[in-house]
mmCIF file of all heavy atoms in Angstrom:
data_model
loop_
_atom_site.group_PDB
_atom_site.id
_atom_site.type_symbol
_atom_site.label_atom_id
_atom_site.label_comp_id
_atom_site.label_asym_id
_atom_site.label_seq_id
_atom_site.Cartn_x
_atom_site.Cartn_y
_atom_site.Cartn_z
ATOM 1 N N THR A 7 9.741 9.597 -5.000
ATOM 2 C CA THR A 7 10.261 10.857 -5.525
ATOM 3 C C THR A 7 11.712 10.982 -5.066
ATOM 4 O O THR A 7 12.035 10.938 -3.894
ATOM 5 C CB THR A 7 9.464 12.046 -5.026
ATOM 6 O OG1 THR A 7 8.081 11.879 -5.393
ATOM 7 C CG2 THR A 7 10.003 13.325 -5.606
ATOM 8 N N ASN A 8 12.602 11.141 -6.057
ATOM 9 C CA ASN A 8 14.017 11.263 -5.764
ATOM 10 C C ASN A 8 14.369 12.676 -5.284
ATOM 11 O O ASN A 8 13.521 13.588 -5.345
ATOM 12 C CB ASN A 8 14.813 10.919 -7.027
ATOM 13 C CG ASN A 8 14.530 9.498 -7.517
ATOM 14 O OD1 ASN A 8 14.524 8.559 -6.747
ATOM 15 N ND2 ASN A 8 14.289 9.367 -8.824
ATOM 16 N N SER A 9 15.581 12.845 -4.782
ATOM 17 C CA SER A 9 15.998 14.135 -4.256
ATOM 18 C C SER A 9 15.996 15.233 -5.292
ATOM 19 O O SER A 9 15.818 16.408 -4.947
ATOM 20 C CB SER A 9 17.414 14.018 -3.658
ATOM 21 O OG SER A 9 18.343 13.515 -4.650
ATOM 22 N N ASP A 10 16.148 14.899 -6.568
ATOM 23 C CA ASP A 10 16.112 15.893 -7.652
ATOM 24 C C ASP A 10 14.712 16.152 -8.161
ATOM 25 O O ASP A 10 14.530 16.913 -9.118
ATOM 26 C CB ASP A 10 17.032 15.477 -8.820
ATOM 27 C CG ASP A 10 16.603 14.126 -9.440
ATOM 28 O OD1 ASP A 10 15.577 13.542 -8.962
ATOM 29 O OD2 ASP A 10 17.271 13.695 -10.402
ATOM 30 N N GLY A 11 13.693 15.546 -7.534
ATOM 31 C CA GLY A 11 12.282 15.782 -7.925
ATOM 32 C C GLY A 11 11.772 14.769 -8.944
ATOM 33 O O GLY A 11 10.561 14.779 -9.237
ATOM 34 N N SER A 12 12.625 13.938 -9.493
ATOM 35 C CA SER A 12 12.173 12.918 -10.459
ATOM 36 C C SER A 12 11.569 11.720 -9.759
ATOM 37 O O SER A 12 11.785 11.524 -8.551
ATOM 38 C CB SER A 12 13.358 12.472 -11.337
ATOM 39 O OG SER A 12 14.351 11.843 -10.527
ATOM 40 N N ASP A 13 10.801 10.950 -10.490
ATOM 41 C CA ASP A 13 10.166 9.765 -9.961
ATOM 42 C C ASP A 13 10.872 8.482 -10.431
ATOM 43 O O ASP A 13 11.428 8.459 -11.540
ATOM 44 C CB ASP A 13 8.686 9.685 -10.361
ATOM 45 C CG ASP A 13 7.883 10.801 -9.742
ATOM 46 O OD1 ASP A 13 8.250 11.278 -8.661
ATOM 47 O OD2 ASP A 13 6.820 11.186 -10.348
ATOM 48 N N SER A 14 10.788 7.465 -9.618
ATOM 49 C CA SER A 14 11.331 6.181 -9.985
ATOM 50 C C SER A 14 10.575 5.088 -9.260
ATOM 51 O O SER A 14 9.859 5.357 -8.281
ATOM 52 C CB SER A 14 12.827 6.096 -9.677
ATOM 53 O OG SER A 14 13.059 6.249 -8.266
ATOM 54 N N ILE A 15 10.717 3.848 -9.720
ATOM 55 C CA ILE A 15 10.062 2.725 -9.075
ATOM 56 C C ILE A 15 11.060 1.971 -8.235
ATOM 57 O O ILE A 15 12.174 1.677 -8.658
ATOM 58 C CB ILE A 15 9.446 1.769 -10.136
ATOM 59 C CG1 ILE A 15 8.333 2.484 -10.913
ATOM 60 C CG2 ILE A 15 8.892 0.515 -9.473
ATOM 61 C CD1 ILE A 15 7.728 1.661 -12.019
ATOM 62 N N ALA A 16 10.666 1.703 -6.992
ATOM 63 C CA ALA A 16 11.563 1.014 -6.071
ATOM 64 C C ALA A 16 10.782 -0.091 -5.346
ATOM 65 O O ALA A 16 9.577 -0.076 -5.269
ATOM 66 C CB ALA A 16 12.132 2.006 -5.048
ATOM 67 N N ILE A 17 11.538 -1.086 -4.842
ATOM 68 C CA ILE A 17 10.964 -2.159 -4.025
ATOM 69 C C ILE A 17 11.059 -1.758 -2.567
ATOM 70 O O ILE A 17 12.155 -1.585 -2.036
ATOM 71 C CB ILE A 17 11.667 -3.491 -4.282
ATOM 72 C CG1 ILE A 17 11.669 -3.868 -5.756
ATOM 73 C CG2 ILE A 17 11.015 -4.611 -3.438
ATOM 74 C CD1 ILE A 17 10.300 -4.054 -6.313
ATOM 75 N N ARG A 18 9.899 -1.607 -1.887
ATOM 76 C CA ARG A 18 9.893 -1.149 -0.506
ATOM 77 C C ARG A 18 8.957 -2.008 0.328
ATOM 78 O O ARG A 18 8.012 -2.650 -0.200
ATOM 79 C CB ARG A 18 9.384 0.328 -0.427
ATOM 80 C CG ARG A 18 10.006 1.255 -1.437
ATOM 81 C CD ARG A 18 11.040 2.010 -1.023
ATOM 82 N NE ARG A 18 10.835 2.923 0.100
ATOM 83 C CZ ARG A 18 11.797 3.775 0.499
ATOM 84 N NH1 ARG A 18 12.945 3.821 -0.126
ATOM 85 N NH2 ARG A 18 11.559 4.596 1.526
ATOM 86 N N HIS A 19 9.205 -2.055 1.630
ATOM 87 C CA HIS A 19 8.294 -2.717 2.579
ATOM 88 C C HIS A 19 7.132 -1.779 2.882
ATOM 89 O O HIS A 19 7.299 -0.692 3.439
ATOM 90 C CB HIS A 19 9.015 -3.070 3.870
ATOM 91 C CG HIS A 19 9.981 -4.210 3.750
ATOM 92 N ND1 HIS A 19 11.278 -4.046 3.254
ATOM 93 C CD2 HIS A 19 9.845 -5.502 4.054
ATOM 94 C CE1 HIS A 19 11.884 -5.217 3.275
ATOM 95 N NE2 HIS A 19 11.053 -6.141 3.749
ATOM 96 N N THR A 20 5.927 -2.181 2.453
ATOM 97 C CA THR A 20 4.759 -1.335 2.678
ATOM 98 C C THR A 20 3.612 -2.183 3.272
ATOM 99 O O THR A 20 3.607 -3.414 3.193
ATOM 100 C CB THR A 20 4.274 -0.671 1.384
ATOM 101 O OG1 THR A 20 3.749 -1.677 0.509
ATOM 102 C CG2 THR A 20 5.368 0.102 0.684
ATOM 103 N N GLY A 21 2.659 -1.502 3.854
ATOM 104 C CA GLY A 21 1.477 -2.162 4.423
ATOM 105 C C GLY A 21 0.387 -1.138 4.699
ATOM 106 O O GLY A 21 0.626 0.087 4.741
ATOM 107 N N VAL A 22 -0.782 -1.616 4.905
ATOM 108 C CA VAL A 22 -1.958 -0.771 5.152
ATOM 109 C C VAL A 22 -2.293 -0.760 6.640
ATOM 110 O O VAL A 22 -2.161 -1.758 7.324
ATOM 111 C CB VAL A 22 -3.194 -1.294 4.341
ATOM 112 C CG1 VAL A 22 -4.445 -0.466 4.679
ATOM 113 C CG2 VAL A 22 -2.883 -1.201 2.839
ATOM 114 N N LEU A 23 -2.717 0.416 7.115
ATOM 115 C CA LEU A 23 -3.297 0.563 8.449
ATOM 116 C C LEU A 23 -4.778 0.936 8.281
ATOM 117 O O LEU A 23 -5.084 1.879 7.548
ATOM 118 C CB LEU A 23 -2.590 1.627 9.285
ATOM 119 C CG LEU A 23 -1.179 1.312 9.775
ATOM 120 C CD1 LEU A 23 -0.618 2.477 10.559
ATOM 121 C CD2 LEU A 23 -1.156 0.031 10.648
ATOM 122 N N SER A 24 -5.655 0.172 8.919
ATOM 123 C CA SER A 24 -7.122 0.406 8.789
ATOM 124 C C SER A 24 -7.689 0.823 10.115
ATOM 125 O O SER A 24 -7.479 0.159 11.142
ATOM 126 C CB SER A 24 -7.799 -0.854 8.298
ATOM 127 O OG SER A 24 -7.230 -1.333 7.101
ATOM 128 N N LEU A 25 -8.455 1.922 10.111
ATOM 129 C CA LEU A 25 -9.079 2.397 11.337
ATOM 130 C C LEU A 25 -10.600 2.288 11.168
ATOM 131 O O LEU A 25 -11.190 2.879 10.268
ATOM 132 C CB LEU A 25 -8.714 3.851 11.617
ATOM 133 C CG LEU A 25 -9.260 4.438 12.924
ATOM 134 C CD1 LEU A 25 -8.518 3.871 14.123
ATOM 135 C CD2 LEU A 25 -9.173 5.970 12.916
ATOM 136 N N THR A 26 -11.244 1.492 12.054
ATOM 137 C CA THR A 26 -12.694 1.486 12.137
ATOM 138 C C THR A 26 -13.078 2.439 13.267
ATOM 139 O O THR A 26 -12.587 2.297 14.384
ATOM 140 C CB THR A 26 -13.234 0.085 12.447
ATOM 141 O OG1 THR A 26 -12.852 -0.805 11.376
ATOM 142 C CG2 THR A 26 -14.765 0.110 12.487
ATOM 143 N N TRP A 27 -13.935 3.380 12.950
ATOM 144 C CA TRP A 27 -14.260 4.429 13.955
ATOM 145 C C TRP A 27 -15.763 4.724 14.010
ATOM 146 O O TRP A 27 -16.512 4.372 13.070
ATOM 147 C CB TRP A 27 -13.470 5.710 13.639
ATOM 148 C CG TRP A 27 -13.528 6.151 12.186
ATOM 149 C CD1 TRP A 27 -12.799 5.662 11.131
ATOM 150 C CD2 TRP A 27 -14.358 7.168 11.630
ATOM 151 N NE1 TRP A 27 -13.131 6.304 9.971
ATOM 152 C CE2 TRP A 27 -14.088 7.240 10.250
ATOM 153 C CE3 TRP A 27 -15.309 8.057 12.139
ATOM 154 C CZ2 TRP A 27 -14.718 8.135 9.384
ATOM 155 C CZ3 TRP A 27 -15.949 8.944 11.309
ATOM 156 C CH2 TRP A 27 -15.642 8.985 9.926
ATOM 157 N N ASP A 28 -16.213 5.323 15.078
ATOM 158 C CA ASP A 28 -17.573 5.599 15.356
ATOM 159 C C ASP A 28 -17.949 6.989 14.812
ATOM 160 O O ASP A 28 -17.536 8.006 15.390
ATOM 161 C CB ASP A 28 -17.872 5.494 16.842
ATOM 162 C CG ASP A 28 -19.366 5.521 17.179
ATOM 163 O OD1 ASP A 28 -20.175 5.903 16.322
ATOM 164 O OD2 ASP A 28 -19.708 5.172 18.330
ATOM 165 N N HIS A 29 -18.740 7.029 13.774
ATOM 166 C CA HIS A 29 -19.082 8.318 13.117
ATOM 167 C C HIS A 29 -20.011 9.163 13.995
ATOM 168 O O HIS A 29 -20.198 10.341 13.710
ATOM 169 C CB HIS A 29 -19.742 8.049 11.765
ATOM 170 C CG HIS A 29 -19.503 9.140 10.756
ATOM 171 N ND1 HIS A 29 -19.344 10.479 11.081
ATOM 172 C CD2 HIS A 29 -19.396 9.091 9.399
ATOM 173 C CE1 HIS A 29 -19.139 11.172 9.999
ATOM 174 N NE2 HIS A 29 -19.167 10.381 8.967
ATOM 175 N N ARG A 30 -20.534 8.604 15.037
ATOM 176 C CA ARG A 30 -21.338 9.420 15.990
ATOM 177 C C ARG A 30 -20.445 10.372 16.759
ATOM 178 O O ARG A 30 -20.890 11.433 17.220
ATOM 179 C CB ARG A 30 -22.066 8.529 16.992
ATOM 180 C CG ARG A 30 -23.025 7.537 16.425
ATOM 181 C CD ARG A 30 -23.626 6.683 17.563
ATOM 182 N NE ARG A 30 -22.561 6.101 18.362
ATOM 183 C CZ ARG A 30 -22.693 5.671 19.620
ATOM 184 N NH1 ARG A 30 -23.855 5.769 20.214
ATOM 185 N NH2 ARG A 30 -21.644 5.173 20.291
ATOM 186 N N VAL A 31 -19.162 9.979 16.946
ATOM 187 C CA VAL A 31 -18.238 10.677 17.846
ATOM 188 C C VAL A 31 -17.380 11.705 17.111
ATOM 189 O O VAL A 31 -17.177 12.822 17.628
ATOM 190 C CB VAL A 31 -17.341 9.673 18.592
ATOM 191 C CG1 VAL A 31 -16.497 10.363 19.629
ATOM 192 C CG2 VAL A 31 -18.190 8.567 19.220
ATOM 193 N N PHE A 32 -16.884 11.368 15.943
ATOM 194 C CA PHE A 32 -16.068 12.325 15.195
ATOM 195 C C PHE A 32 -16.231 12.023 13.691
ATOM 196 O O PHE A 32 -16.914 11.054 13.296
ATOM 197 C CB PHE A 32 -14.600 12.295 15.597
ATOM 198 C CG PHE A 32 -13.946 10.945 15.559
ATOM 199 C CD1 PHE A 32 -13.366 10.441 14.411
ATOM 200 C CD2 PHE A 32 -13.850 10.164 16.715
ATOM 201 C CE1 PHE A 32 -12.716 9.220 14.408
ATOM 202 C CE2 PHE A 32 -13.234 8.922 16.707
ATOM 203 C CZ PHE A 32 -12.662 8.436 15.540
ATOM 204 N N ASP A 33 -15.614 12.841 12.870
ATOM 205 C CA ASP A 33 -15.791 12.775 11.428
ATOM 206 C C ASP A 33 -14.531 12.288 10.734
ATOM 207 O O ASP A 33 -13.492 12.077 11.360
ATOM 208 C CB ASP A 33 -16.214 14.147 10.877
ATOM 209 C CG ASP A 33 -17.480 14.649 11.513
ATOM 210 O OD1 ASP A 33 -18.416 13.850 11.706
ATOM 211 O OD2 ASP A 33 -17.516 15.883 11.867
ATOM 212 N N GLY A 34 -14.634 12.137 9.414
ATOM 213 C CA GLY A 34 -13.545 11.580 8.649
ATOM 214 C C GLY A 34 -12.231 12.360 8.710
ATOM 215 O O GLY A 34 -11.151 11.791 8.585
ATOM 216 N N SER A 35 -12.333 13.664 8.905
ATOM 217 C CA SER A 35 -11.103 14.474 8.982
ATOM 218 C C SER A 35 -10.220 14.057 10.132
ATOM 219 O O SER A 35 -9.003 13.931 10.005
ATOM 220 C CB SER A 35 -11.467 15.976 9.077
ATOM 221 O OG SER A 35 -12.275 16.230 10.227
ATOM 222 N N ILE A 36 -10.860 13.845 11.319
ATOM 223 C CA ILE A 36 -10.073 13.426 12.488
ATOM 224 C C ILE A 36 -9.528 12.011 12.261
ATOM 225 O O ILE A 36 -8.378 11.738 12.608
ATOM 226 C CB ILE A 36 -10.956 13.455 13.747
ATOM 227 C CG1 ILE A 36 -11.243 14.900 14.126
ATOM 228 C CG2 ILE A 36 -10.277 12.751 14.918
ATOM 229 C CD1 ILE A 36 -12.081 15.082 15.383
ATOM 230 N N ALA A 37 -10.314 11.137 11.661
ATOM 231 C CA ALA A 37 -9.848 9.774 11.406
ATOM 232 C C ALA A 37 -8.620 9.782 10.513
ATOM 233 O O ALA A 37 -7.615 9.096 10.762
ATOM 234 C CB ALA A 37 -10.950 8.962 10.734
ATOM 235 N N LEU A 38 -8.634 10.610 9.441
ATOM 236 C CA LEU A 38 -7.484 10.672 8.537
ATOM 237 C C LEU A 38 -6.298 11.370 9.166
ATOM 238 O O LEU A 38 -5.152 10.981 8.939
ATOM 239 C CB LEU A 38 -7.911 11.367 7.241
ATOM 240 C CG LEU A 38 -8.709 10.477 6.269
ATOM 241 C CD1 LEU A 38 -9.372 11.312 5.203
ATOM 242 C CD2 LEU A 38 -7.782 9.404 5.664
ATOM 243 N N LEU A 39 -6.533 12.438 9.919
ATOM 244 C CA LEU A 39 -5.434 13.122 10.590
ATOM 245 C C LEU A 39 -4.765 12.199 11.586
ATOM 246 O O LEU A 39 -3.532 12.174 11.721
ATOM 247 C CB LEU A 39 -5.945 14.391 11.286
ATOM 248 C CG LEU A 39 -6.321 15.555 10.381
ATOM 249 C CD1 LEU A 39 -7.047 16.634 11.184
ATOM 250 C CD2 LEU A 39 -5.045 16.158 9.746
ATOM 251 N N PHE A 40 -5.575 11.399 12.280
ATOM 252 C CA PHE A 40 -5.081 10.429 13.260
ATOM 253 C C PHE A 40 -4.208 9.361 12.546
ATOM 254 O O PHE A 40 -3.083 9.068 12.994
ATOM 255 C CB PHE A 40 -6.261 9.783 13.976
ATOM 256 C CG PHE A 40 -5.867 8.719 14.968
ATOM 257 C CD1 PHE A 40 -5.417 9.054 16.233
ATOM 258 C CD2 PHE A 40 -5.976 7.368 14.636
ATOM 259 C CE1 PHE A 40 -5.098 8.048 17.150
ATOM 260 C CE2 PHE A 40 -5.638 6.382 15.527
ATOM 261 C CZ PHE A 40 -5.191 6.728 16.787
ATOM 262 N N LEU A 41 -4.719 8.804 11.470
ATOM 263 C CA LEU A 41 -3.972 7.765 10.734
ATOM 264 C C LEU A 41 -2.702 8.326 10.127
ATOM 265 O O LEU A 41 -1.650 7.653 10.146
ATOM 266 C CB LEU A 41 -4.840 7.175 9.646
ATOM 267 C CG LEU A 41 -5.867 6.089 10.061
ATOM 268 C CD1 LEU A 41 -6.781 5.734 8.886
ATOM 269 C CD2 LEU A 41 -5.139 4.852 10.569
ATOM 270 N N ASN A 42 -2.764 9.517 9.567
ATOM 271 C CA ASN A 42 -1.566 10.096 8.945
ATOM 272 C C ASN A 42 -0.519 10.468 9.996
ATOM 273 O O ASN A 42 0.683 10.465 9.682
ATOM 274 C CB ASN A 42 -1.933 11.305 8.094
ATOM 275 C CG ASN A 42 -2.472 10.901 6.725
ATOM 276 O OD1 ASN A 42 -1.756 10.318 5.936
ATOM 277 N ND2 ASN A 42 -3.733 11.178 6.470
#
């Protein structure tokens, strides 16, 4: 998203972060808040 609110396609360095977590201890909301 550009500064004027429009969208464009760009070449960027990106990658995925994966979290394996124990659902006995906490729920998906905490997992996603933690990752974000």
Side-chain angles (χ1 to χ4, degrees):
T7 302
N8 302 312
S9 57
D10 61 0
S12 63
D13 293 333
S14 61
I15 295 177
I17 304 298
R18 314 262 302 185
H19 286 83
T20 67
V22 175
L23 289 180
S24 306
L25 184 74
T26 301
W27 48 280
D28 190 343
H29 210 329
R30 301 177 307 158
V31 186
F32 54 86
D33 303 317
S35 58
I36 290 181
L38 282 166
L39 287 169
F40 177 80
L41 279 173
N42 279 296

